[in-house]
Each structure stands twice: as structure tokens, then as C-alpha cells.
Amino acid sequence: MKTQLFAAEQVKEAAALIKKGGLVVFPTETVYGLGASAFNPGACARIFSAKGRPSDNPLIVHVAREDQLAEVAGPLSPQAKALKEAFWPGPLSLIVPKNPQLPEIVTAGLATVAVRWPSNPLAQAFLNECGVAVAAPSANVSGAPSPTNFEMAKSAMLGRVDGILMGEECEEGLESTIVGFPDGQAKILRPGSITADQIALVLGCDPASLIYLAPNEGRPVSPGLKYTHYKPNAEVRLFRSAEDWAGLSLEGHKVGVLLVGSSVPTPPDWDVARFEDWKAYGKALYSSFFEFDRIGCTLILAQLPEAGGIGTAIANRLGKAAGH
Ligand code: AMP
Ligand code: MG
């Protein structure tokens, strides 16, 4: 398939492809999304095949206007409304009742829909031009890290989609926080850069009450939670301090290391991605994986943050990347 590349000024042309039932990759503040009209079931089916995504893993729908929201979602609960007011536009997806008119394929048959209103200005301009809500999972092949810059989006999706809209590097670099309300209680189904403390403050609840423990039986509340995710080609191992390297057999490996601060020294033959703080580390996590893969690293050593704040989201992605 021929993939058209669009500069930021060509939002109209990119949106025209969506209106015709095409697939377009576009930037958001979290990661690049792989979009199709949420009201075109055939186009949404193509999202699943372009990604190799299992059909039981529902899509997040992106909106940039109240009328787009009303087309995909039923009435919001007071808690959902409060979170919408506090964090939209922004990197938070809310699981809310589905509008019956929204095609089943988008929600993989669930009665709820995941919705997000992105803050990235180019994403907003694109969604406005589309005039319709856009279903868009991350623009990676299933299981791989999400693209957080144009180069990565192109590398993942060239030949698989109709168009790619070129934006800046994603400001957050990690997928949205997902909040759902199983049994009417707010729960964080996927941690992201909007933290449990921030959400608890808005809802007036204890942050610990937001922790979601998936039941062992039955259909998972968030089907995507059960799949492998975020894996680069290189093997990923996690560490907290340089002592954790001591027992590792590095024989024959080209090593890339991701770490925060200047206190941990690294051997001269390793490729090093060193960040000032965990926010910067999270933002560059996937692009560092991409870069290490590109230069042929076979082993990535990634520093593991303490849980809490952005550390919870980073530890969640790293755990999956390392296959835990
Ligand atoms: P992605 O867009 O690739 O980052 O993945 C979307 C995530 O949202 C997956 O983990 C899905 O399981 C989750 N999701 C989407 N729709 C729903 C829903 N209606 N209820 C719960 N989780 C959902
Ligand atoms: Mg994804």
C-alpha cells in the first residue's frame, strides 16, 4: 500500500483520507495514534489488521469537541465528569458507557468505550478537520513499543496505512492513563503520566483505592492488559543500581543502558542514554528502545524507578518490555 506523508500544514489532506475510510497515523501528546473513523466499521477492521491486533482488544476513541463525545459516549457519571473537567484535554482515557450507535468493532463488543480528548494542537486540528470521532490505538505493530516521533511512526507503519501526519516528538512519550469504573468504583486500569495522586485529589478519595486488581477468572475489564506489550527487539533487563549488573553474563552482547542522574558510572563500550529525571526518562523510553535497536544492541539495561508518581507508569511499561 502506498503511504502518503503529510507535513503539519497538510492536516486537511490527512483528514480527507479519514473521511474516505482510510487509515492515518497522527501525533498526540502521548504517542502516535493509528486512526480511522470510529463510525466506519470497515476502516476500524483495517486498524486491527495493520497492527496485527487481536480483535478482542478495544480501541480508544479520540475526540476534540463535545458533539464528537456525545456521538460515541452515553451520559457520563459525576466521577467521569469531574475527571473530564480536570484533565481534558490531556493524557487521560476514560471508560464510559458506549453510545449504541458506535460500531461494536470499536469496543470489541463491550458496553463501554474508552474516550480521550488529546491536548496536542496538531491532534486537535486533525480531529476537528475529520469532523468525526477517530478510533486510534498506538501506531505500533502489536507487542512493539509505541512510536513517539515521526521516524518511529514511519518505520512501524509505512506501507500499512494510507497516510502519516508529521508532528513533533510526543510531549509525554507514554500511553494515556486509563481510568475505568468497574462496579461503579474509579480504578486506574493503566498507569500513565496523570498519576493516582492527581486523580485521587479530584475525586476526593484515597489513592490506594484506585489500584485495580484484575480478577483471575472471566473476561478482563480491560482486555489489552493481558497481551505482551512494548517489547523492543533487544532483550530488556531491569536494574535499580549498578550492583545489579554484577551477576549478569554480558558475553557477546552489545549493551545499551538507560538511566537517570550522573551517579551510576557505565563501562566505556556501552551505549548510554542518560536522563536528568524520570519525567525525561519516560518521555524518551520508547525512542531510546528504537535507537538501541537501530544500532544493533542485543541487550538493554533499563533502570527501574521507585513506584509512585510517573515511576508507576514507567515501571509498568518496563515490566512488560522485560517480559515479566
Ligand atoms: P492502545 O490504544 O493500543 O494504547 O490500547 C488501548 C487500551 O485501552 C487497551 O489496553 C484496551 O484494553 C483499553 N480499552 C479500550 N477500550 C476499553 C474499554 N471499553 N474498557 C476497558 N479497557 C478498554
Ligand atoms: Mg498500544
Side-chain angles (χ1 to χ4, degrees), residues 180-211:
F181 304 89
D183 308 319
Q185 298 293 313
K187 298 285 176 194
I188 295 177
L189 304 180
R190 176 173 72 187
S193 49
I194 292 181
T195 64
D197 286 350
Q198 287 176 284
I199 291 165
L201 202 62
V202 172
L203 297 182
C205 66
D206 178 356
S209 75
L210 296 170
I211 296 172

Side-chain angles (χ1 to χ4, degrees), residues 31 51 53 56-62 93-96 98 106-108 110-115 136-140 142 146 175-176 178-180 189-190 220-227 229-230 320:
V31 303
K51 277 182 67 89
R53 184 177 178 105
D56 69 349
N57 192 359
L59 308 174
I60 296 177
V61 177
H62 292 66
S93 297
L94 291 170
I95 309 295
V96 296
K98 166 186 180 297
V106 174
T107 59
L110 295 174
T112 53
V113 60
V115 198
S138 49
N140 50 283
S142 262
S146 306
E175 301 80 358
S176 59
I178 302 181
V179 173
L189 304 180
R190 176 173 72 187
V221 167
S222 186
L225 297 177
K226 66 176 188 261
Y227 293 111
H229 266 97
Y230 320 124
K320 295 193 178 199

Side-chain angles (χ1 to χ4, degrees), residues 19 29 35 40 85 91 104 110 162 242 299:
K19 292 182 201 165
E29 70 277 19
N40 185 325
E85 293 307 318
E104 294 259 307
L110 295 174
D162 300 291
L299 178 64

Side-chain angles (χ1 to χ4, degrees), residues 13-26:
E13 288 90 327
L17 288 182
I18 294 281
K19 292 182 201 165
K20 280 195 297 190
L23 297 187
V24 176
V25 172
F26 65 101

Side-chain angles (χ1 to χ4, degrees), residues 228-252:
T228 311
H229 266 97
Y230 320 124
K231 275 196 164 179
N233 296 326
E235 179 188 349
V236 177
R237 294 215 201 162
L238 311 182
F239 71 94
R240 285 199 192 273
S241 70
E243 282 118 63
D244 297 344
W245 301 334
L248 288 183
S249 135
L250 303 175
E251 188 71 23

